[in-house]
Amino acid sequence: MRTLIRNGTVVNANGAVAADVLVDGETIAAVTAPGVFPEADSIIEAAGKYVLPGGIDAHTHMEMPFGGTFSADTFATGTTAAAWGGTTTIIDFAVQAKGTSLLATLDKWHEKADGNCAVDYGFHMIISDVNDTSLKEMESCIDAGVNSFKMFMAYPGVFYATDGEILLAMQKATETGSMIMMHAENGIAIDQLVAQAIASGRTDPVHHGITRPPELEGEATSRAIQLAKVTGAPLYIVHLSSRHALTAVAEARDTGQNVFAETCPQYLFLSLDDLARPDFEGSKFVCSPPLRPKDHQSDLWRGLRTNDLCVVSTDHCPFCFKDQKELGRGDFSKIPNGMPGVEHRMDLLHQGVVRGEITLARWVEISSATPARMFGLYPRKGVITAGADADIVVYDPAATQTLSAATHHMNVDYSAYEGWELTGRVDAVLSRGSVVVSGGEFHGRESHGKFLARELSQYLN
Ligand SMILES: [Zn+2]
């Protein structure tokens, strides 16, 4: 089965060019000057449209246990929503519960995901119990294609790791060439501020943001960087939200240290003002780190241009307003942490192109090419080239759309971007050569997505 995508503008991380893309089976057979291959079994007309490598969202949490509930998207609904928005690969987090083994955790996540994903998927591993067994098991995880390990300086009593535990895991990462991913917020100090706020009756959602000040993200980021320096471990800061943390990352990168960072659309487009919306509406915007005052946004866009921020992921972790977010009425500390986003990352970042914040090529780089390299998937993913998987998005830059919970495909009862009018939208999506979305209809199958055993990060060779 050969499919020809013709007359479009192929956009890769190194630029845009008028070209046709010939797909044979699951892979790209050729990228040629327009008109070289006139025939195929099926033709996708892409005149006036971009032809992009499928998006890679390197940070999602499908059906994740949190505070006695689960994030609302299953692997089936979450990967379907991802496909609608032009994301053809997710990397989700398997979560080790304290007292359990990493390998049993990995088995459990395979059970949830295998046969249930509309697009391809990989896993990172969250280590919440550092001991001799789990340190040893990191090696088996790497052999199984899971070679990035997330730790938390936040959430004492749940996921929190001490500096000593972080040091031990970092030493193992250095030894194995694997990556430590860090949620960098000083959770010990934050918990005191949270307790003081609740005790004095400051219980509205906005206090979630006020009790997690950016200084405590900056401090934790610096501390993680120093621990990484001492141990020689590569470090990837997840969901960086503030200029305080960005400054620490930029300084480390200037010295040549292997420190990388991602940010998320919610930090680029939303702010503390949203957390302060009345009538408990602010709960829809509770995530950690919290949304920051608006003036941080321009620093984050700059970081994307200077490559101090090199990836944009969503941290997609949806909880419904009704019954889930509502658990925290009268006590913001009980609001489940997380926001929906997997469906809108490509479209929101395209607004950065429209506004002139980033170039067309940079859009593809931060949403697809760099995450592919960062997490050992390149050039199978992240590029339109002969031999790559035919994960392709045909994108109409001139179309407009209005985001709304009434029309999105994520399994959550609100949109953080309700009523936003965006320029550009996905026209067609192929995953390994199969048409998943086209003509405003979903053609995918939940059993289509395959597990991706990843190689080590390609920025470390
Ligand atoms: Zn997360």
Side-chain angles (χ1 to χ4, degrees):
M1 168 79 180
R2 283 149 64 100
T3 302
L4 182 67
I5 304 170
R6 70 180 182 196
N7 299 320
T9 300
V10 171
V11 187
N12 275 315
N14 61 357
V17 62
D20 290 355
V21 179
L22 184 69
V23 173
D24 193 351
E26 297 200 342
T27 56
I28 295 172
V31 182
T32 72
V36 168
F37 290 102
E39 297 297 331
D41 304 309
S42 120
I43 304 270
I44 296 174
E45 194 57 59
K49 291 168 189 158
Y50 300 144
V51 180
L52 319 168
I56 298 175
D57 191 341
H59 190 151
T60 68
H61 301 281
M62 306 304 174
E63 49 193 285
M64 189 194 85
F66 189 96
T69 186
F70 285 84
S71 61
D73 264 316
T74 62
F75 278 90
T77 62
T79 55
T80 298
W84 272 105
T87 287
T88 53
T89 301
I90 63 162
I91 311 180
D92 201 87
F93 287 86
V95 187
Q96 179 199 26
K98 282 213 193 292
T100 65
S101 92
L102 295 186
L103 290 176
T105 300
L106 192 52
D107 286 346
K108 207 164 148 186
W109 253 258
H110 272 299
E111 233 167 79
K112 293 186 198 211
D114 294 356
N116 293 317
C117 291
V119 297
D120 290 350
Y121 59 97
F123 296 128
H124 309 289
M125 177 62 69
I126 288 176
I127 304 184
S128 49
D129 200 351
V130 176
N131 54 50
D132 289 346
T133 310
S134 53
L135 288 168
K136 185 76 192 153
E137 280 183 321
M138 285 171 72
E139 296 171 16
S140 315
C141 287
I142 293 165
D143 293 340
V146 177
N147 48 45
S148 35
F149 302 93
K150 184 179 177 191
M151 305 188 80
F152 289 79
M153 302 168 99
Y155 303 126
V158 188
F159 298 127
Y160 177 81
T162 65
D163 290 352
E165 289 165 342
I166 291 169
L167 184 107
L168 291 174
M170 283 182 166
Q171 287 174 335
K172 181 57 94 173
T174 303
E175 184 189 317
T176 54
S178 56
M179 182 84 83
I180 296 294
M181 308 173 81
M182 192 63 72
H183 180 133
E185 284 187 296
N186 184 329
I188 299 286
I190 285 168
D191 272 13
Q192 296 301 330
L193 296 175
V194 170
Q196 288 168 356
I198 300 293
S200 66
R202 289 173 280 132
T203 59
D204 287 343
V206 71
H207 294 289
H208 170 78
I210 294 169
T211 56
R212 309 180 82 94
E215 287 79 2
L216 295 183
E217 185 190 12
E219 182 276 328
T221 304
S222 298
R223 186 155 35 100
I225 287 169
Q226 297 308 327
L227 290 167
K229 186 160 195 179
V230 167
T231 55
L235 175 66
Y236 180 95
I237 303 291
V238 292
H239 47 45
L240 187 149
S241 69
S242 66
R243 86 169 62 82
H244 302 66
L246 178 60
T247 301
V249 166
E251 270 179 25
R253 290 178 58 80
D254 285 349
T255 69
Q257 196 179 338
N258 278 322
V259 174
F260 310 96
E262 68 176 15
T263 189
C264 310
Q266 55 269 35
Y267 304 119
L268 294 165
F269 291 96
L270 302 170
S271 76
L272 193 62
D273 296 348
D274 294 296
L275 263 178
R277 289 196 203 181
D279 301 328
F280 201 61
E281 284 285 300
S283 66
K284 295 175 176 175
F285 303 90
V286 166
C287 58
S288 294
L291 302 180
R292 300 301 185 186
K294 248 197 178 85
D295 56 288
H296 288 255
Q297 292 173 1
S298 59
D299 293 278
L300 299 181
W301 283 110
R302 178 175 44 78
L304 285 172
R305 290 190 292 273
T306 60
N307 205 39
D308 290 315
L309 296 172
C310 59
V311 170
V312 179
S313 307
T314 60
D315 195 10
H316 176 77
C317 192
F319 294 99
C320 287
F321 182 69
K322 197 171 162 20
D323 297 339
Q324 292 192 302
K325 291 289 187 181
E326 283 182 331
L327 294 169
R329 268 196 201 273
D331 180 350
F332 69 83
S333 71
K334 297 199 166 60
I335 300 170
N337 283 205
M339 284 175 57
V342 74
E343 187 168 350
H344 300 316
R345 184 182 62 122
M346 300 298 285
D347 286 324
L348 286 166
L349 289 177
H350 183 249
Q351 307 317 297
V353 179
V354 172
R355 293 184 197 171
E357 295 278 6
I358 52 173
T359 65
L360 195 53
R362 185 62 177 160
W363 174 43
V364 169
E365 191 163 39
I366 60 181
S367 62
S368 181
T370 298
R373 286 194 161 106
M374 187 67 66
F375 297 110
L377 295 169
Y378 196 89
R380 181 173 169 194
K381 308 289 191 190
V383 60
I384 301 279
T385 193
D389 281 359
D391 289 2
I392 300 172
V393 175
V394 179
Y395 196 85
D396 184 349
T400 56
Q401 60 173 320
T402 305
L403 303 187
S404 172
T407 49
H408 73 201
H409 303 86
M410 299 176 286
N411 185 37
V412 60
D413 61 1
Y414 75 94
S415 171
Y417 307 94
E418 186 67 40
W420 283 39
E421 289 180 19
L422 304 187
T423 301
R425 78 177 302 162
V426 167
D427 199 70
V429 178
L430 280 72
S431 166
R432 279 183 288 107
S434 295
V435 174
V436 180
V437 174
S438 86
E441 282 183 29
F442 186 74
H443 303 280
R445 286 175 295 119
E446 284 173 8
S447 56
H448 170 80
K450 281 188 183 160
F451 172 70
L452 300 165
R454 295 180 291 110
E455 292 167 24
L456 294 175
S457 173
Q458 292 151 338
Y459 285 109
L460 302 174
N461 303 333

